[in-house]
Amino acid sequence: MTKLKLSGVSKAYGATLALRRGDLELDSGEVHVLIGANGSGKSTLCKIVAGSVRPDAGEVLLDGRAVTVSGPRAAQALGIGIFYQELSLADHRSVAENICLPDLPRQNGLFIDRTALRAEAERYIALFETVAGAALQADTIVGDLRADQRQLVEIMKALATEAPILIFDEPTSALDRAQVDRFFEILRDLKSKGRSIVFISHRMDEIFAIGDRVTVIRDGETVGTTTISETSPDAVIHMMVGEQETLATPQAAPPIHAPSTDIALKVEGLTGAGFHEVSFAVGRGEILGLGGLHGQGQSAILKALFGAVAPRSGEVKLAGERLRIDSPRSAIAQGLAYVSGDRGRDGVISGRPILENVTPIHALRNRLLLARPGRLAEKALPALKALNTKFAGLSHSIGSLSGGNQQKIVIARWLIDKPDILLLDDPTKGIDLSAKADLFALIRELAAEGLAIVLYSSEDAELLNNADRILVFNGGSVSRELSGAERTRYNLYQAAYEAA
Amino acid sequence: MTTNASLTAHDSGLRRLLGRFPFLPALFILAVLLILNGIFEPNSLSFRSLTGLVRTYMALMLLAVAQTYVVYAADIDLSVGAIASLVNVTIIVLMQHMGGGGLSVLAALGVGVLVGLACGLVNGFVVAALRLQAIVATFATSIFFTGLALVILPVAGMPAPTVFWRTYGGSFFGIPFVFYAAATLAILLYLLARTRLATQLLAVGDGQQAAFQSGLPVTAIRIGGYALCGVFAALAAFCITGDTASGDPLVGAKMTLFSVAAVVLGGSALSGGFGTVAGSVIAALIIGLINSLVFFAGTPSHWQNFVQGLAILAALMVGVLVSRRGRA
Ligand SMILES: Nc1ncnc2c1ncn2[C@@H]1O[C@H](COP(=O)(O)OP(=O)(O)OP(=O)(O)O)[C@@H](O)[C@H]1O
Ligand SMILES: [Mg+2]
């Protein structure tokens, strides 16, 4: 039975046509996957359904009747709940307040019913109890949580609407495998209760694991819908890219470098908040992968190496010399680069033009006193092109870009002046399949030029396909090192789940 | 190693404490100032002097509270002082016209609250519904409110009825009236902190887009913040009237930026989403104590502003340093 039907929905932002012709048919009791390249219009379509964007044209039918969704509040009243790709959380409020924010329980009409609030929030927190980590409690301040935990809170917030139609716009981009598995269990349960679910992800395996049907969007237009069981990843990719069938398939394993003798970065007994006694070395031209479940210290180490959080003890040597890491500023000056997948917090300079977002590192490293937009644009454009970034103009605000394209801007920043060490902290969050392939091709190229690269990824395939060596983290320290033929999905999985 | 570990444990404890009670640095400064006052003039810690301090700075406390509610939502109100002036002259003129009896005073106070509320609604409408920049829009409305006050009472000086200032300055059952007022204020603030509106204001301050996407009626919430601000500005005007016992169409103007300073000193973020009204109240007292300290320390009168400014800067710096340490 068709629950929700969109036909010919469109939306333009000035000259940018975000959605040309969006069609979607959502049945009761199904998980309907939306897939498409970065900037193809998926989020726009979701926001239209959720009422936070008004469509220019087109029709929305709910239970067969035409409706106008005049705002997020109206959408909630119509029974539509949504997970926003860029999250809709209030950083200074508690987890419980965030989960219940759309409809805070009241007592005596005026006051917040704290007991009911807590009880309500705890119902949803309990759903993820086993995978969320100890810090995620009802009264934790959301700003203190890790990226994946905040994403879980946004999921809980969407679930708490108890809406018959639930939209999840890239809910899994920062989640690890255990968290995704738990989330999928919940989705299956909701599905069996007849709820309709829209699910967006750039991870092909997830789509085939959870989806019933898939609708492909290309350049703002719905290309078609097929049943998952009757299609294959290849066929979906073909629909996504259309004529330009140049999508590089990730190679099974990269050429294995002989362990480089030319050590670029050496870490000895590094201890800090979230990790202890970690030692490793990365050679020039090597891609070192960090694996394991979320929050086992991988991100914390990368942040410490970049000087964003001070480590407690231990030593870091850069090309044999002891590195003084006290601030990102000095780390950058000494040739380090850091890309965070948590772009909202660590990457994007929000509200500022694209040009300003691409060039700050260039300006810092070259001590530019005056910004000459023409000159800067000459530097910025090749970097943006290398990542196939889709944007209307350098002077447009970064907020006008799709999530994945924003992430490309954050990466492009480091490509203007090449660093010596590249620290990648789940860098592909929100980036589509073909761009991901391009990005990793580029990363390998950089490695071939002699850069030392440390890559943390929450997606196993990325590590297996790209890292020369993988350090598996468990409970804040390295539990296993996988190199050469040991780099298999099985070994990775096993090492990650091993009791520490 | 061990010392390091205990140091971080201590730091994270401080951090958690500051997250829950962002006004702790202000409380600390308040204590220091009280001690300093006691050293320079032991008499300044007497019950009488403290009562005088609260009586004089009750108005600033209320204005700081008023300002806090709009700052919660990342807005600002540069017209709080003008609203207080307008309410001050309105009630003075009303009480004068109605004879100055007990009932007429109460009626005038009722009208005063309504005037404050109306001013707040005007601000809210201009800022949230018409989407003008808060800082400029409320600056404009402040001129407008001052203009109204000047029309109602062109020159300062009309006296308040005796019963009014006698009550404000008097005592009941041995306890000064201002302490009853302070206790009522404390209860009121406690209740307001538990309302839905307070949490919604903070959520809007954390991110308007996110709040809108969550389904919150952002415009109505911001207007609500300004309305609350207007009402508290009216209450502040009552205290001004009680303290000065007369009407003055320009009396509040100089207090506006003090209220903003108190909000910041009290640990609230001007960028919104974070803060407490308790902090603002404490900070208003700090500003009062600084003024009295400057006086008791025997500063020559032509240096008083200079020293007062320096002292406020120092207090702000201490507050910032402590909170930064807690956040790192
Ligand atoms: N507020 C806005 N102002 C201007 N342009 C916008 C705005 N929001 C989106 N766009 C543009 O609309 C297009 C579609 O964006 P949308 O966010 O829907 O893409 P998406 O399919 O969700 O991509 P991704 O996979 O990267 O999340 C993009 O080209 C984007 O630049
Ligand atoms: Mg998107």
Side-chain angles (χ1 to χ4, degrees), chain A residues 47 51-52 71-73 76 84 87-93 97 101-106 110-112 114 144 157 271 312-313, chain B residues 1 4-5 8 15 191-197 199-200 202-203 206-207 209-217 272-275:
Chain A
K47 286 181 189 161
S52 52
R73 211 170 183 72
Q76 278 160 18
Y84 286 100
L87 310 190
S88 63
L89 301 176
D91 277 351
H92 290 101
R93 301 288 94 218
E97 283 170 332
L101 193 59
D103 192 19
L104 292 162
R106 270 186 293 187
L110 208 57
F111 303 108
I112 293 179
R114 293 268 152 202
D144 292 340
K157 185 174 169 185
T271 300
R312 241 172 272 147
S313 61
Chain B
M1 179 76 235
N4 272 345
T8 29
R15 185 197 147 108
L191 289 177
L192 277 170
R194 305 186 70 92
T195 56
R196 214 145 85 132
L197 182 62
T199 302
Q200 289 175 329
L202 286 165
D206 245 331
Q209 173 77 356
F212 167 72
Q213 291 184 334
S214 305
L216 294 186
F274 180 72

Coordinates of all heavy atoms in Angstrom, one line a residue, chain A residues 47 51-52 71-73 76 84 87-93 97 101-106 110-112 114 144 157 271 312-313, chain B residues 1 4-5 8 15 191-197 199-200 202-203 206-207 209-217 272-275:
Chain A
K47 N 14.2 17.0 2.8 CA 13.8 18.2 3.6 C 12.5 18.6 3.1 O 11.7 19.2 3.9 CB 14.9 19.3 3.4 CG 16.1 19.0 4.2 CD 17.1 20.1 4.0 CE 18.5 19.8 4.6 NZ 19.5 20.7 4.0
G51 N 9.3 19.1 5.5 CA 8.7 20.5 5.7 C 9.7 21.6 6.0 O 9.4 22.7 6.1
S52 N 11.0 21.2 6.0 CA 12.0 22.3 6.3 C 12.4 23.0 5.0 O 13.1 24.1 5.1 CB 13.2 21.8 7.1 OG 13.8 20.7 6.5
G71 N 5.7 23.1 7.2 CA 6.8 23.3 8.1 C 7.1 22.1 8.8 O 6.4 21.1 8.8
P72 N 8.3 22.0 9.5 CA 8.6 20.8 10.3 C 7.6 20.4 11.3 O 7.3 19.3 11.5 CB 9.9 21.3 11.0 CG 10.5 22.4 10.2 CD 9.3 23.1 9.6
R73 N 6.9 21.5 11.9 CA 5.9 21.2 12.9 C 4.7 20.5 12.2 O 4.2 19.5 12.7 CB 5.4 22.5 13.5 CG 5.0 22.3 14.9 CD 4.8 23.5 15.7 NE 4.4 23.1 17.0 CZ 5.3 22.7 17.9 NH1 6.5 22.5 17.6 NH2 4.9 22.3 19.1
Q76 N 5.5 16.9 11.5 CA 5.3 16.0 12.7 C 3.9 15.7 12.9 O 3.5 14.6 13.2 CB 5.9 16.7 13.9 CG 7.4 16.6 14.0 CD 8.1 17.6 14.9 OE1 7.4 18.2 15.7 NE2 9.4 17.8 14.7
Y84 N 18.3 14.4 10.2 CA 19.0 15.3 9.3 C 20.5 14.9 9.1 O 21.2 14.7 10.1 CB 18.9 16.7 9.8 CG 17.6 17.3 9.7 CD1 16.7 17.4 10.7 CD2 17.2 17.9 8.4 CE1 15.4 18.0 10.6 CE2 15.9 18.4 8.3 CZ 15.1 18.5 9.4 OH 13.8 19.0 9.2
L87 N 22.6 16.9 11.2 CA 22.1 16.9 12.5 C 21.3 18.1 12.9 O 21.6 19.2 12.4 CB 23.2 16.6 13.5 CG 24.1 15.4 13.3 CD1 25.0 15.1 14.5 CD2 23.3 14.2 12.9
S88 N 20.4 18.0 13.8 CA 19.6 19.1 14.3 C 19.6 19.2 15.8 O 18.6 19.4 16.5 CB 18.1 19.0 13.8 OG 17.5 17.8 14.4
L89 N 20.8 19.0 16.4 CA 21.0 19.0 17.8 C 21.4 20.3 18.4 O 22.1 21.1 17.8 CB 22.0 17.9 18.2 CG 21.7 16.5 17.7 CD1 22.9 15.5 18.0 CD2 20.4 16.0 18.3
A90 N 21.0 20.5 19.7 CA 21.4 21.7 20.4 C 22.6 21.3 21.3 O 22.4 20.5 22.2 CB 20.3 22.3 21.3
D91 N 23.8 21.8 21.0 CA 25.0 21.3 21.6 C 25.1 21.5 23.1 O 25.7 20.7 23.8 CB 26.2 22.0 21.0 CG 26.6 21.3 19.7 OD1 26.1 20.2 19.4 OD2 27.5 21.8 19.0
H92 N 24.4 22.5 23.6 CA 24.6 22.8 25.1 C 23.4 22.1 25.9 O 23.4 22.2 27.1 CB 24.6 24.3 25.3 CG 25.8 25.0 24.9 ND1 25.8 25.7 23.7 CD2 27.0 25.0 25.4 CE1 27.1 26.2 23.6 NE2 27.8 25.8 24.6
R93 N 22.5 21.5 25.2 CA 21.4 20.8 25.9 C 21.8 19.4 26.2 O 22.6 18.8 25.5 CB 20.1 20.9 25.2 CG 19.6 22.3 24.8 CD 19.1 23.0 26.0 NE 20.1 23.9 26.5 CZ 20.3 24.1 27.8 NH1 19.5 23.5 28.7 NH2 21.3 24.9 28.2
E97 N 17.0 16.2 26.7 CA 16.3 17.4 26.2 C 16.3 17.4 24.7 O 15.3 17.7 24.0 CB 16.9 18.7 26.7 CG 16.5 19.0 28.1 CD 17.4 20.1 28.7 OE1 18.5 20.3 28.3 OE2 16.9 20.8 29.6
L101 N 13.1 17.3 22.3 CA 13.0 18.7 22.0 C 11.7 19.1 21.2 O 11.1 20.1 21.5 CB 14.2 19.2 21.3 CG 14.4 20.7 21.2 CD1 14.4 21.3 22.6 CD2 15.6 21.1 20.4
P102 N 11.4 18.3 20.2 CA 10.2 18.7 19.4 C 8.9 18.7 20.2 O 8.0 19.5 19.9 CB 10.1 17.6 18.3 CG 11.4 17.0 18.2 CD 12.0 17.1 19.6
D103 N 8.9 17.9 21.3 CA 7.6 17.9 22.1 C 8.0 17.6 23.5 O 7.8 16.5 24.0 CB 6.7 16.9 21.5 CG 5.3 17.0 22.1 OD1 5.0 18.1 22.7 OD2 4.5 16.1 22.1
L104 N 8.5 18.6 24.3 CA 8.9 18.5 25.6 C 7.7 18.1 26.5 O 6.7 18.9 26.5 CB 9.6 19.7 26.1 CG 11.0 20.0 25.5 CD1 11.4 21.5 25.7 CD2 12.1 19.1 26.0
P105 N 7.8 17.1 27.3 CA 6.6 16.7 28.1 C 6.4 17.8 29.2 O 7.3 18.3 29.8 CB 7.0 15.4 28.8 CG 8.5 15.3 28.6 CD 8.9 16.1 27.4
R106 N 5.1 18.1 29.4 CA 4.7 19.2 30.3 C 4.0 18.7 31.5 O 3.4 17.7 31.5 CB 3.8 20.2 29.5 CG 4.6 21.3 28.8 CD 3.7 22.3 28.2 NE 2.9 21.8 27.1 CZ 2.1 22.5 26.4 NH1 2.1 23.8 26.6 NH2 1.4 22.0 25.4
L110 N 2.8 24.5 32.0 CA 3.9 25.5 31.8 C 5.2 24.9 32.0 O 6.2 25.2 31.3 CB 3.7 26.6 32.8 CG 4.1 28.0 32.4 CD1 3.5 28.4 31.1 CD2 3.8 28.9 33.5
F111 N 5.4 23.9 32.9 CA 6.7 23.4 33.3 C 7.0 22.1 32.6 O 6.2 21.4 32.2 CB 6.7 23.3 34.8 CG 6.4 24.5 35.6 CD1 5.2 24.6 36.2 CD2 7.3 25.6 35.5 CE1 4.9 25.8 36.9 CE2 6.9 26.7 36.2 CZ 5.8 26.8 36.9
I112 N 8.3 21.9 32.5 CA 8.8 20.7 31.9 C 8.7 19.6 32.9 O 9.1 19.8 34.1 CB 10.3 20.8 31.4 CG1 10.3 21.8 30.3 CG2 10.8 19.5 31.0 CD1 11.7 22.0 29.7
R114 N 10.2 16.8 34.3 CA 11.6 16.3 34.2 C 11.6 14.7 34.3 O 12.3 14.1 33.6 CB 12.5 16.8 35.4 CG 12.8 18.3 35.3 CD 14.1 18.5 34.5 NE 14.1 19.8 33.9 CZ 14.8 20.1 32.8 NH1 15.6 19.2 32.3 NH2 14.7 21.3 32.3
D144 N 29.5 17.3 24.4 CA 30.6 16.5 25.0 C 30.7 15.1 24.3 O 31.6 14.3 24.7 CB 30.4 16.3 26.5 CG 30.6 17.6 27.2 OD1 31.2 18.6 26.6 OD2 30.1 17.7 28.4
K157 N 16.3 10.8 18.4 CA 15.4 12.0 18.3 C 14.3 11.7 17.2 O 13.2 12.0 17.3 CB 16.2 13.2 18.0 CG 15.4 14.5 18.0 CD 16.3 15.7 17.8 CE 15.5 16.9 17.5 NZ 16.5 18.1 17.2
T271 N 50.5 8.5 25.3 CA 49.3 8.3 26.2 C 48.6 9.6 26.4 O 49.1 10.7 26.5 CB 49.8 7.8 27.6 OG1 50.6 6.6 27.5 CG2 48.7 7.6 28.6
R312 N 49.4 13.1 27.3 CA 49.9 13.2 28.7 C 51.4 12.9 28.7 O 52.2 13.5 29.4 CB 49.1 12.3 29.6 CG 48.4 13.0 30.7 CD 47.5 12.1 31.5 NE 46.2 12.1 30.9 CZ 45.4 11.0 30.9 NH1 45.8 9.9 31.4 NH2 44.2 11.0 30.3
S313 N 51.7 11.8 28.0 CA 53.1 11.4 28.0 C 53.4 10.8 26.7 O 52.5 10.4 25.9 CB 53.5 10.5 29.2 OG 52.7 9.4 29.1
Chain B
M1 N 53.8 11.4 36.2 CA 52.7 10.7 35.6 C 51.5 10.7 36.5 O 50.4 11.0 36.1 CB 53.2 9.2 35.3 CG 52.2 8.3 34.7 SD 52.0 8.6 33.0 CE 50.2 8.8 32.9
N4 N 50.2 14.1 37.0 CA 49.5 14.5 35.8 C 48.1 14.0 35.7 O 47.1 14.7 35.4 CB 50.2 14.0 34.5 CG 51.3 15.0 34.1 OD1 51.2 16.2 34.5 ND2 52.2 14.6 33.3
A5 N 48.0 12.7 36.1 CA 46.7 12.0 36.0 C 45.7 12.7 37.0 O 44.6 13.0 36.6 CB 46.8 10.5 36.3
T8 N 44.5 16.0 35.7 CA 43.4 15.9 34.7 C 42.1 15.6 35.4 O 41.0 16.1 35.0 CB 43.7 15.0 33.6 OG1 44.5 13.9 34.1 CG2 44.3 15.7 32.4
R15 N 35.5 21.1 35.2 CA 34.8 21.2 34.0 C 33.3 20.9 34.1 O 32.4 21.6 33.7 CB 35.5 20.4 32.9 CG 35.0 20.5 31.6 CD 35.4 19.3 30.8 NE 34.4 19.0 29.8 CZ 34.5 19.2 28.5 NH1 35.7 19.6 28.1 NH2 33.6 19.0 27.7
L191 N 11.2 28.9 39.2 CA 10.0 28.4 38.4 C 10.2 28.6 36.9 O 10.0 27.7 36.1 CB 8.7 29.1 38.9 CG 8.2 28.7 40.3 CD1 7.0 29.5 40.6 CD2 8.0 27.2 40.3
L192 N 10.7 29.8 36.6 CA 10.9 30.1 35.2 C 11.9 29.2 34.5 O 11.8 28.8 33.4 CB 11.4 31.6 35.0 CG 10.2 32.6 35.0 CD1 10.8 34.0 35.0 CD2 9.4 32.4 33.7
A193 N 13.0 28.8 35.3 CA 14.0 27.9 34.8 C 13.4 26.6 34.4 O 14.0 25.9 33.6 CB 15.1 27.8 35.8
R194 N 12.3 26.2 35.0 CA 11.7 24.9 34.7 C 10.7 25.0 33.6 O 10.1 23.9 33.3 CB 11.1 24.4 36.0 CG 12.0 24.3 37.2 CD 11.4 23.7 38.4 NE 11.2 22.2 38.1 CZ 12.1 21.3 38.5 NH1 13.2 21.7 39.1 NH2 11.9 20.1 38.3
T195 N 10.4 26.1 33.1 CA 9.4 26.2 32.1 C 9.9 25.7 30.7 O 11.1 25.6 30.5 CB 8.9 27.7 31.8 OG1 10.1 28.5 31.5 CG2 8.2 28.2 33.0
R196 N 9.0 25.4 29.9 CA 9.4 24.9 28.5 C 10.1 26.1 27.8 O 11.0 25.8 27.1 CB 8.1 24.5 27.8 CG 8.3 23.4 26.9 CD 7.1 22.5 26.8 NE 6.1 23.1 25.9 CZ 5.5 22.3 25.0 NH1 5.9 21.0 24.9 NH2 4.6 22.8 24.2
L197 N 9.6 27.3 28.0 CA 10.1 28.4 27.3 C 11.6 28.6 27.5 O 12.4 28.8 26.6 CB 9.4 29.7 27.6 CG 9.8 31.0 26.9 CD1 9.6 30.8 25.4 CD2 9.1 32.2 27.4
T199 N 13.9 26.4 28.2 CA 14.7 25.4 27.5 C 14.6 25.7 26.0 O 15.6 25.5 25.3 CB 14.1 24.0 27.8 OG1 14.2 23.7 29.2 CG2 14.9 22.9 27.1
Q200 N 13.4 26.1 25.5 CA 13.3 26.3 24.1 C 14.2 27.5 23.7 O 14.7 27.5 22.6 CB 11.8 26.6 23.8 CG 11.0 25.3 23.8 CD 9.5 25.5 23.6 OE1 9.0 26.6 23.9 NE2 8.9 24.6 23.0
L202 N 17.0 28.5 25.0 CA 18.3 28.0 24.9 C 18.6 27.1 23.7 O 19.6 27.2 23.1 CB 18.7 27.2 26.2 CG 18.9 28.0 27.5 CD1 18.8 27.1 28.7 CD2 20.2 28.8 27.4
A203 N 17.6 26.3 23.3 CA 17.7 25.5 22.1 C 17.8 26.4 20.9 O 18.6 26.1 20.0 CB 16.6 24.5 22.0
D206 N 21.2 27.9 20.6 CA 22.2 26.9 20.2 C 22.3 26.7 18.7 O 23.3 26.3 18.1 CB 21.9 25.5 20.8 CG 22.9 25.1 21.8 OD1 24.1 25.4 21.6 OD2 22.6 24.3 22.7
G207 N 21.2 27.1 18.0 CA 21.2 26.9 16.6 C 19.8 27.1 16.1 O 18.9 26.3 16.3
Q209 N 18.6 27.2 13.0 CA 18.2 26.3 11.9 C 17.8 24.9 12.5 O 16.8 24.4 12.2 CB 19.4 26.2 11.0 CG 19.3 25.1 9.9 CD 18.3 25.6 8.8 OE1 17.8 26.7 8.9 NE2 18.2 24.8 7.8
A210 N 18.7 24.4 13.4 CA 18.4 23.1 14.1 C 17.1 23.2 14.8 O 16.3 22.3 14.8 CB 19.6 22.7 15.0
A211 N 16.9 24.3 15.5 CA 15.6 24.4 16.3 C 14.4 24.4 15.4 O 13.4 23.7 15.7 CB 15.7 25.7 17.2
F212 N 14.5 25.1 14.3 CA 13.4 25.2 13.3 C 13.2 23.8 12.8 O 12.1 23.3 12.7 CB 13.8 26.2 12.2 CG 12.9 26.0 11.0 CD1 11.6 26.5 11.1 CD2 13.3 25.5 9.8 CE1 10.7 26.4 10.0 CE2 12.5 25.3 8.7 CZ 11.2 25.8 8.8
Q213 N 14.3 23.1 12.4 CA 14.1 21.8 11.8 C 13.6 20.8 12.8 O 13.0 19.8 12.4 CB 15.5 21.3 11.3 CG 16.0 22.0 10.1 CD 17.2 21.5 9.5 OE1 18.0 20.9 10.2 NE2 17.5 21.7 8.2
S214 N 13.8 21.0 14.1 CA 13.2 20.2 15.1 C 11.7 20.4 15.3 O 11.1 19.7 16.1 CB 13.9 20.4 16.5 OG 15.3 20.2 16.3
G215 N 11.2 21.4 14.7 CA 9.8 21.7 14.8 C 9.4 22.7 15.9 O 8.3 22.9 16.2
L216 N 10.4 23.4 16.4 CA 10.1 24.5 17.4 C 9.6 25.7 16.7 O 10.1 26.1 15.6 CB 11.4 24.8 18.2 CG 11.9 23.7 19.1 CD1 13.1 24.3 19.9 CD2 10.9 23.1 20.0
P217 N 8.6 26.4 17.2 CA 8.1 27.6 16.7 C 9.1 28.8 17.0 O 8.9 29.5 18.0 CB 6.8 27.9 17.4 CG 6.9 27.1 18.6 CD 7.8 26.0 18.4
G272 N 24.7 32.8 22.7 CA 23.4 32.0 23.0 C 23.6 30.6 23.4 O 24.7 30.0 23.2
G273 N 22.5 30.0 23.9 CA 22.5 28.6 24.1 C 23.0 28.1 25.5 O 22.9 27.0 25.9
F274 N 23.6 29.1 26.2 CA 24.3 28.6 27.4 C 24.3 29.8 28.4 O 24.7 30.9 28.1 CB 25.8 28.3 27.0 CG 26.6 27.8 28.2 CD1 26.4 26.6 28.8 CD2 27.6 28.6 28.7 CE1 27.2 26.2 29.9 CE2 28.4 28.2 29.7 CZ 28.2 27.0 30.3
G275 N 23.9 29.5 29.7 CA 24.0 30.5 30.7 C 23.0 30.2 31.8 O 22.2 29.3 31.7

